[in-house]
Amino acid sequence: MDDHRTGGTRQISNITGQIVSPPRVSGLGSVAPAKVSSKSAQGSARTVSKKTSATRKRPAQASAESMAKQQREISISEFFARNRHLLGFDNKRKALLTSVKEAVDNALDACEEGGVLPEIHLEIKQLAEDRFCMICRDNGPGIVKAQIPNIFGKLLYGSKFHRLKMSRGQQGIGISAAGMYGLITTGKPVSIVSRTGTGKPAHHYKLAIDTKKNKPDIIADRTVDVEWNSGTEIEIEMVASYNKGRQSVAEYIELTAIANPHASIFFRAPDGNVFDHPRNVDELPEETIEIKPHPHGVELGTLMKMLKETNSKQMGAFLSTEFSRVSPKTAKEVCAKAGLTQRTWLQGVGPQSVEKLFNALQAAKLRAPSTNCLAPIGAEAILNGLLKGIKGEFYTASTRPPSVYRGNPFQIEVGMAYGGQLGSLNDGEKSSSKNAKPPPSARVIRFANRVPLLYQQGACCTFKSVVETKWNNYGLSQSRGTLPQAPLVILIHMASVWVPFTSESKEAIADYDEIRKEIRLGLAECSRRLGIYIRRKKKRSHYSQRRDVFHRYINEVVQACHSMTDFDKEVFRDQLHKLAVRATQAADMEFDDHGKIIAKRKNGDNEMDNTIVVEEDGESPAGQLELFNKEPEPVPLKKRRAKAATSKKKKKVKKRK
């Protein structure tokens, strides 16, 4: 702004160029407003700063003593109560599924350890719009009264964490976390009824978890009468939502029935629908045996801890009793490399000697860990499960030999179901019809110790292995970085004494090189069988179409030839029929129940072992209905016709001469 001074009075022009006189302050005459405003602004700023400093005093700096008063121990229950999403309770839908999963897994483990064929009854009741009650009962051996509060009212309490033996549960945190979630969301305690045998009383507990102390809070304890002989029933009320389709409770129960064909599962949904999955195998899985840790899976700090906690006094006894696959001879060689002897007292072993011992153990050539701690599903049981749950036409399964990662034995199993009601490869072909079916996409079903994994599929090692497989080599179309476009269901199961899950919610398997290698080998074995079946089926279809084309023109060829010369039409037609059959023998290719071609071969078709084919009866092409579906003639009648035809030809030749 320009400053125009006239008659001792300063005039200021505004933005538009007009001259505006400054305002006058009463009693002061003409005053320069800029100076007055700056002084008043400074004064007001000082006043505000004084008030601010008076009201907002900086707190005294914390000292070591004051900070020490604020520090306290954090309970594991309190931690997971605030971070329940780590356990799978991050939304209402997933919370209900996680609770069902933990209850069913514990029931199956209890029944198998008790040597009883599992019978599980699951019911979900809807109490309000977003409030449900889950009731799960099994026929296992039950739980003794003293252990009921600890199992259901304390996190990280169980018998499966410290043993190297295949089981569904590992951490002792699942079912108690489900009860804690129900208590947090509804304020209702967990109800447990357990009976250990016929003639024994059934104990009924109502429990709440004290999250600050990670201890059970017993609200009710009494004896009740129940109709069942033995088992455990748990009831949890929670805020949740029930949905259908993928990643639902119904899908989890269906997949559990596939991986556990020896179990009978009865499920009643909130809408009244009943899902009954009877068992189709009357034998329990092989009983697993607990093993000792393998030296190649033990780290240096763990070895130091084992040396302090062992009951052995000397080094040789320690190596032979605390580890698997370490014989006295191997222990002697390891001690010699570490500069020790078998009679070295453990009390006198220092940190440097322990490190030498660790390096000697890692360099030693040891046998792989024993695999009697594993109970894989088995190829036959996988086929039975797929047949029960998936309506396809081709089934195959493979169980890989046991392998090791970080000293932990594991086994990979792969199963496949193809075609049938899943669709066909022709569904994805281009069609002018607006109602053309979209191309089918393969589906991956993941299991870990017979437990379905429904979430975090993209982060799982099994899913990555399927995507990285080159399915184009087996007759299936696949885009880069995606699943194959085919009517295919792929089942992958990992059995291990310790499954390396990526989180506490146990939803995805970590990506170890050893695990991925075994998965890809199992996929390749089953995919080769599927590729053989697809190629054989395409070949049969191709030759069937060729035969149909031949048949369409046989009658015209007969008429054309008869117009040129005189002969028996029936004999000529039969000869052309036989020629068409010989030229298209692949159209008569038949498969047995294992996908092998029904024919006498010198070498057996070993590539199609552990395979089942259930082909649907389909109509033959239009041209084949008349030709290849008529009843065969008796042999004597054929011979008489042939003799009659030859005699007619001879007579015609004589007449012409």
Side-chain angles (χ1 to χ4, degrees):
M1 292 183 291
D2 298 330
D3 188 3
H4 305 277
R5 299 183 182 274
T6 55
T9 302
R10 188 181 65 178
Q11 296 179 348
I12 303 173
S13 61
N14 61 7
I15 297 176
T16 59
Q18 299 177 355
I19 298 175
V20 181
S21 298
R24 295 180 179 273
V25 182
S26 59
L28 296 177
S30 299
V31 183
K35 296 181 180 180
V36 175
S37 61
S38 62
K39 290 181 180 180
S40 61
Q42 292 176 1
S44 62
R46 291 173 184 172
T47 306
V48 172
S49 63
K50 289 180 180 179
K51 291 181 180 180
T52 305
S53 60
T55 55
R56 299 181 182 178
K57 292 183 179 181
R58 181 183 178 88
Q61 294 183 355
S63 61
E65 290 77 10
S66 63
M67 288 189 293
K69 293 179 180 179
Q70 298 177 0
Q71 295 171 353
R72 64 182 180 87
E73 182 181 359
I74 302 173
S75 168
I76 187 67
S77 301
E78 189 176 4
F79 172 79
F80 281 117
R82 291 191 179 185
N83 300 277
R84 61 193 186 199
H85 59 278
L86 298 177
L87 300 176
F89 298 95
D90 45 353
N91 58 66
K92 296 179 181 179
R93 177 179 181 178
K94 196 174 176 183
L96 181 61
L97 176 62
T98 303
S99 301
V100 171
K101 172 178 172 294
E102 298 296 343
V104 173
D105 291 351
N106 287 354
L108 290 172
D109 275 339
C111 293
E112 291 178 4
E113 289 189 24
V116 181
L117 288 171
E119 292 183 5
I120 300 174
H121 296 264
L122 176 66
E123 184 177 2
I124 299 177
K125 299 179 181 179
Q126 185 169 6
L127 307 178
E129 182 180 356
D130 61 346
R131 182 168 291 194
F132 293 82
C133 179
M134 181 202 71
I135 304 173
C136 182
R137 176 169 58 87
D138 62 72
N139 64 329
I143 306 171
V144 296
K145 181 181 178 181
Q147 292 295 330
I148 293 176
N150 292 327
I151 291 175
F152 295 95
K154 181 184 289 188
L155 269 66
L156 291 179
Y157 185 90
S159 60
K160 304 171 185 176
F161 182 83
H162 300 284
R163 65 183 186 183
L164 292 178
K165 180 181 177 181
M166 175 181 165
S167 61
R168 294 170 182 82
Q170 292 185 174
Q171 304 164 350
I173 201 174
I175 193 63
S176 53
M180 182 180 67
Y181 172 79
L183 179 66
I184 292 173
T185 55
T186 64
K188 297 295 182 66
V190 184
S191 176
I192 305 105
V193 180
S194 184
R195 188 179 186 182
T196 57
T198 306
K200 297 182 179 180
H203 301 286
H204 180 209
Y205 273 94
K206 285 190 176 181
L207 302 174
I209 299 178
D210 186 353
T211 55
K212 287 189 176 182
K213 299 179 181 179
N214 190 28
K215 291 183 179 180
D217 184 9
I218 301 175
I219 298 175
D221 175 14
R222 59 193 179 94
T223 303
V224 295
D225 295 330
V226 294
E227 298 178 356
W228 27 278
N229 297 328
S230 65
T232 304
E233 182 180 84
I234 180 171
E235 181 177 344
I236 302 176
E237 188 174 332
M238 68 190 76
V239 173
S241 65
Y242 179 82
N243 300 84
K244 300 179 181 180
R246 292 290 180 90
Q247 297 180 342
S248 63
V249 175
E251 184 192 18
Y252 168 79
I253 296 298
E254 181 183 356
L255 296 180
T256 302
I258 291 176
N260 301 271
H262 63 285
S264 174
I265 305 176
F266 178 86
F267 170 50
R268 186 183 297 276
D271 54 5
N273 292 330
V274 175
F275 302 89
D276 190 8
H277 299 276
R279 69 172 59 93
N280 58 352
V281 175
D282 294 329
E283 295 181 0
L284 284 169
E286 294 183 4
E287 186 178 357
T288 56
I289 300 175
E290 183 179 356
I291 64 171
K292 296 291 184 179
H294 195 270
H296 290 173
V298 175
E299 296 174 341
L300 179 59
T302 306
L303 179 61
M304 292 181 177
K305 182 181 177 182
M306 293 175 66
L307 286 168
K308 292 180 180 179
E309 297 177 351
T310 182
N311 295 324
S312 302
K313 303 298 182 181
Q314 295 179 336
M315 184 61 68
F318 167 74
L319 293 175
S320 300
T321 58
E322 298 295 332
F323 293 101
S324 65
R325 301 305 193 187
V326 178
S327 61
K329 181 180 179 181
T330 305
K332 183 178 180 180
E333 295 175 356
V334 170
C335 291
K337 292 181 180 179
L340 304 171
T341 63
Q342 288 182 298
R343 298 194 176 188
T344 300
W345 296 98
L346 298 183
Q347 295 179 351
V349 178
Q352 295 181 353
S353 299
V354 175
E355 189 170 357
K356 291 180 180 178
L357 177 65
F358 174 77
N359 294 331
L361 283 172
Q362 300 304 313
K365 294 183 179 180
L366 304 174
R367 290 187 299 165
S370 176
T371 57
N372 55 5
C373 57
L374 303 178
I377 301 174
E380 185 177 353
I382 290 177
L383 292 174
N384 289 332
L386 291 174
L387 282 167
K388 182 175 69 172
I390 299 173
K391 304 300 181 183
E393 68 182 58
F394 176 87
Y395 303 87
T396 185
S398 171
T399 299
R400 293 286 305 160
S403 186
V404 181
Y405 83 96
R406 289 181 55 192
N408 298 315
F410 74 98
Q411 221 167 345
I412 296 296
E413 297 179 291
V414 178
M416 291 184 184
Y418 170 83
Q421 295 184 8
L422 298 174
S424 63
L425 291 176
N426 299 327
D427 291 345
E429 294 182 355
K430 295 182 179 180
S431 176
S432 58
S433 175
K434 296 181 180 179
N435 299 325
K437 294 182 180 180
S441 180
R443 179 187 175 192
V444 180
I445 303 176
R446 301 170 294 133
F447 293 89
N449 286 356
R450 299 175 181 262
V451 178
L453 309 178
L454 301 183
Y455 287 90
Q456 297 185 13
Q457 179 175 260
C460 189
C461 176
T462 57
F463 182 79
K464 295 177 181 177
S465 301
V466 174
V467 171
E468 292 178 357
T469 301
K470 297 180 180 180
W471 295 95
N472 297 321
N473 298 336
Y474 308 108
L476 304 178
S477 62
Q478 179 191 24
S479 301
R480 186 175 182 181
T482 61
L483 293 173
Q485 299 294 318
L488 179 66
V489 174
I490 305 169
L491 182 150
I492 301 176
H493 174 239
M494 177 180 178
S496 177
V497 297
W498 185 259
V499 180
F501 292 112
T502 57
S503 64
E504 294 84 353
S505 57
K506 299 182 292 185
E507 296 168 348
I509 300 174
D511 194 1
Y512 282 88
D513 293 338
E514 298 87 349
I515 298 175
R516 178 177 287 200
K517 176 184 176 182
E518 288 297 316
I519 293 174
R520 296 184 70 173
L521 290 174
L523 288 171
E525 185 176 352
C526 291
S527 300
R528 281 194 296 270
R529 301 173 189 166
L530 177 60
I532 291 171
Y533 174 74
I534 291 176
R535 287 192 293 270
R536 289 175 179 176
K537 191 176 179 181
K538 287 183 177 179
K539 183 178 180 180
R540 184 176 64 179
S541 176
H542 172 67
Y543 279 94
S544 179
Q545 292 176 0
R546 290 183 61 183
R547 179 181 291 180
D548 181 57
V549 173
F550 292 158
H551 175 67
R552 292 179 187 273
Y553 293 97
I554 282 178
N555 292 329
E556 296 184 8
V557 172
V558 171
Q559 292 293 339
C561 294
H562 187 266
S563 63
M564 292 185 292
T565 181
D566 187 16
F567 58 85
D568 190 346
K569 292 183 180 180
E570 292 297 329
V571 175
F572 187 52
R573 183 181 287 107
D574 289 340
Q575 292 176 350
L576 291 178
H577 290 170
K578 293 177 182 179
L579 179 62
V581 170
R582 287 198 304 270
T584 58
Q585 288 182 357
D588 298 325
M589 188 187 303
E590 295 182 5
F591 306 129
D592 60 8
D593 293 340
H594 299 285
K596 301 177 182 178
I597 300 175
I598 300 177
K600 294 182 179 180
R601 293 188 175 186
K602 295 181 180 180
N603 299 324
D605 197 356
N606 296 327
E607 295 178 341
M608 302 299 284
D609 292 337
N610 294 323
T611 301
I612 297 176
V613 173
V614 184
E615 291 194 276
E616 297 180 357
D617 294 333
E619 293 186 356
S620 302
Q624 298 183 30
L625 294 178
E626 178 185 354
L627 178 61
F628 298 102
N629 292 336
K630 60 182 181 180
E631 296 181 358
E633 294 181 351
V635 176
L637 182 59
K638 287 185 178 180
K639 291 183 178 179
R640 273 182 274 160
R641 285 191 175 183
K643 289 182 179 180
T646 53
S647 63
K648 285 183 180 180
K649 287 183 180 179
K650 291 180 180 178
K651 290 180 181 179
K652 289 180 180 180
V653 172
K654 289 181 179 179
K655 287 181 180 180
R656 288 178 183 176
K657 290 182 178 179

mmCIF file of all heavy atoms in Angstrom, residues 1 47 64 139 174 195 270 318 346 349 372 374 447 520 542 544:
data_model
loop_
_atom_site.group_PDB
_atom_site.id
_atom_site.type_symbol
_atom_site.label_atom_id
_atom_site.label_comp_id
_atom_site.label_asym_id
_atom_site.label_seq_id
_atom_site.Cartn_x
_atom_site.Cartn_y
_atom_site.Cartn_z
ATOM 1 N N MET A 1 0.847 -1.190 0.000
ATOM 2 C CA MET A 1 0.000 0.000 0.000
ATOM 3 C C MET A 1 0.880 1.237 0.000
ATOM 4 O O MET A 1 1.920 1.270 0.653
ATOM 5 C CB MET A 1 -0.910 -0.011 1.230
ATOM 6 C CG MET A 1 -1.975 -1.134 1.175
ATOM 7 S SD MET A 1 -3.076 -1.094 2.574
ATOM 8 C CE MET A 1 -1.966 -1.589 3.878
ATOM 9 N N THR A 47 1.087 -10.887 28.041
ATOM 10 C CA THR A 47 0.055 -11.327 28.996
ATOM 11 C C THR A 47 -0.328 -12.777 28.760
ATOM 12 O O THR A 47 -0.464 -13.571 29.686
ATOM 13 C CB THR A 47 -1.191 -10.431 28.867
ATOM 14 O OG1 THR A 47 -0.788 -9.079 29.021
ATOM 15 C CG2 THR A 47 -2.215 -10.793 29.920
ATOM 16 N N ALA A 64 14.856 -42.371 37.875
ATOM 17 C CA ALA A 64 14.902 -43.830 37.840
ATOM 18 C C ALA A 64 13.958 -44.428 38.878
ATOM 19 O O ALA A 64 13.312 -45.459 38.636
ATOM 20 C CB ALA A 64 16.328 -44.311 38.087
ATOM 21 N N ASN A 139 -16.898 -87.632 22.773
ATOM 22 C CA ASN A 139 -16.992 -88.883 23.518
ATOM 23 C C ASN A 139 -15.628 -89.370 23.967
ATOM 24 O O ASN A 139 -15.367 -90.574 24.050
ATOM 25 C CB ASN A 139 -17.664 -89.962 22.661
ATOM 26 C CG ASN A 139 -16.846 -90.305 21.426
ATOM 27 O OD1 ASN A 139 -16.147 -89.443 20.889
ATOM 28 N ND2 ASN A 139 -16.917 -91.536 20.966
ATOM 29 N N GLY A 174 -5.564 -72.051 22.753
ATOM 30 C CA GLY A 174 -6.709 -71.854 21.879
ATOM 31 C C GLY A 174 -8.050 -71.799 22.582
ATOM 32 O O GLY A 174 -8.750 -70.797 22.545
ATOM 33 N N ARG A 195 -16.973 -85.811 32.125
ATOM 34 C CA ARG A 195 -17.148 -87.080 32.813
ATOM 35 C C ARG A 195 -16.077 -88.037 32.339
ATOM 36 O O ARG A 195 -15.857 -88.192 31.130
ATOM 37 C CB ARG A 195 -18.540 -87.645 32.525
ATOM 38 C CG ARG A 195 -18.907 -88.870 33.342
ATOM 39 C CD ARG A 195 -20.315 -89.330 33.005
ATOM 40 N NE ARG A 195 -20.755 -90.424 33.870
ATOM 41 C CZ ARG A 195 -21.932 -91.035 33.749
ATOM 42 N NH1 ARG A 195 -22.779 -90.644 32.794
ATOM 43 N NH2 ARG A 195 -22.258 -92.001 34.566
ATOM 44 N N PRO A 270 -27.305 -72.405 13.224
ATOM 45 C CA PRO A 270 -28.314 -71.534 13.853
ATOM 46 C C PRO A 270 -29.628 -71.472 13.080
ATOM 47 O O PRO A 270 -30.680 -71.234 13.682
ATOM 48 C CB PRO A 270 -27.622 -70.167 13.892
ATOM 49 C CG PRO A 270 -26.180 -70.456 13.789
ATOM 50 C CD PRO A 270 -26.055 -71.684 12.969
ATOM 51 N N PHE A 318 24.439 -87.970 28.899
ATOM 52 C CA PHE A 318 23.616 -86.834 28.462
ATOM 53 C C PHE A 318 23.318 -86.906 26.975
ATOM 54 O O PHE A 318 22.164 -86.758 26.546
ATOM 55 C CB PHE A 318 24.338 -85.527 28.799
ATOM 56 C CG PHE A 318 23.761 -84.320 28.130
ATOM 57 C CD1 PHE A 318 22.563 -83.769 28.554
ATOM 58 C CD2 PHE A 318 24.411 -83.731 27.045
ATOM 59 C CE1 PHE A 318 22.022 -82.655 27.922
ATOM 60 C CE2 PHE A 318 23.882 -82.628 26.418
ATOM 61 C CZ PHE A 318 22.681 -82.085 26.856
ATOM 62 N N LEU A 346 29.472 -82.949 33.826
ATOM 63 C CA LEU A 346 28.782 -81.791 33.237
ATOM 64 C C LEU A 346 28.998 -80.525 34.044
ATOM 65 O O LEU A 346 28.934 -79.417 33.503
ATOM 66 C CB LEU A 346 27.281 -82.089 33.124
ATOM 67 C CG LEU A 346 26.885 -83.268 32.231
ATOM 68 C CD1 LEU A 346 25.376 -83.396 32.165
ATOM 69 C CD2 LEU A 346 27.454 -83.116 30.833
ATOM 70 N N VAL A 349 31.960 -78.378 32.684
ATOM 71 C CA VAL A 349 31.970 -77.964 31.281
ATOM 72 C C VAL A 349 31.670 -76.459 31.211
ATOM 73 O O VAL A 349 30.616 -76.001 31.675
ATOM 74 C CB VAL A 349 30.938 -78.755 30.467
ATOM 75 C CG1 VAL A 349 30.921 -78.278 29.020
ATOM 76 C CG2 VAL A 349 31.254 -80.240 30.531
ATOM 77 N N ASN A 372 8.044 -92.314 13.726
ATOM 78 C CA ASN A 372 6.887 -92.902 14.408
ATOM 79 C C ASN A 372 6.158 -91.889 15.272
ATOM 80 O O ASN A 372 5.171 -92.219 15.921
ATOM 81 C CB ASN A 372 7.319 -94.106 15.257
ATOM 82 C CG ASN A 372 8.433 -93.741 16.232
ATOM 83 O OD1 ASN A 372 8.823 -92.583 16.356
ATOM 84 N ND2 ASN A 372 8.947 -94.747 16.909
ATOM 85 N N LEU A 374 4.837 -89.336 13.806
ATOM 86 C CA LEU A 374 3.902 -88.757 12.844
ATOM 87 C C LEU A 374 2.792 -89.748 12.522
ATOM 88 O O LEU A 374 3.009 -90.965 12.532
ATOM 89 C CB LEU A 374 4.628 -88.368 11.548
ATOM 90 C CG LEU A 374 5.795 -87.402 11.670
ATOM 91 C CD1 LEU A 374 6.431 -87.178 10.306
ATOM 92 C CD2 LEU A 374 5.341 -86.066 12.260
ATOM 93 N N PHE A 447 -4.134 -78.145 4.868
ATOM 94 C CA PHE A 447 -4.265 -78.792 6.169
ATOM 95 C C PHE A 447 -2.908 -78.803 6.860
ATOM 96 O O PHE A 447 -1.868 -78.899 6.208
ATOM 97 C CB PHE A 447 -4.765 -80.236 6.036
ATOM 98 C CG PHE A 447 -6.174 -80.365 5.528
ATOM 99 C CD1 PHE A 447 -6.431 -80.452 4.171
ATOM 100 C CD2 PHE A 447 -7.238 -80.395 6.405
ATOM 101 C CE1 PHE A 447 -7.722 -80.575 3.698
ATOM 102 C CE2 PHE A 447 -8.536 -80.513 5.941
ATOM 103 C CZ PHE A 447 -8.782 -80.602 4.588
ATOM 104 N N ARG A 520 6.315 -79.363 -3.627
ATOM 105 C CA ARG A 520 6.402 -79.335 -5.084
ATOM 106 C C ARG A 520 6.615 -80.744 -5.651
ATOM 107 O O ARG A 520 6.088 -81.079 -6.716
ATOM 108 C CB ARG A 520 7.531 -78.409 -5.506
ATOM 109 C CG ARG A 520 7.293 -76.958 -5.101
ATOM 110 C CD ARG A 520 8.359 -76.034 -5.604
ATOM 111 N NE ARG A 520 8.296 -75.874 -7.046
ATOM 112 C CZ ARG A 520 9.034 -75.012 -7.728
ATOM 113 N NH1 ARG A 520 9.883 -74.221 -7.090
ATOM 114 N NH2 ARG A 520 8.942 -74.930 -9.033
ATOM 115 N N HIS A 542 -11.004 -87.505 -29.332
ATOM 116 C CA HIS A 542 -10.617 -87.169 -30.704
ATOM 117 C C HIS A 542 -10.939 -88.315 -31.662
ATOM 118 O O HIS A 542 -11.537 -88.106 -32.735
ATOM 119 C CB HIS A 542 -9.132 -86.841 -30.737
ATOM 120 C CG HIS A 542 -8.580 -86.666 -32.117
ATOM 121 N ND1 HIS A 542 -8.937 -85.611 -32.943
ATOM 122 C CD2 HIS A 542 -7.700 -87.422 -32.835
ATOM 123 C CE1 HIS A 542 -8.308 -85.727 -34.093
ATOM 124 N NE2 HIS A 542 -7.543 -86.808 -34.057
ATOM 125 N N SER A 544 -13.029 -90.723 -31.179
ATOM 126 C CA SER A 544 -14.470 -90.935 -31.210
ATOM 127 C C SER A 544 -15.132 -90.008 -32.232
ATOM 128 O O SER A 544 -16.050 -90.406 -32.961
ATOM 129 C CB SER A 544 -15.060 -90.714 -29.821
ATOM 130 O OG SER A 544 -16.453 -90.891 -29.832
#
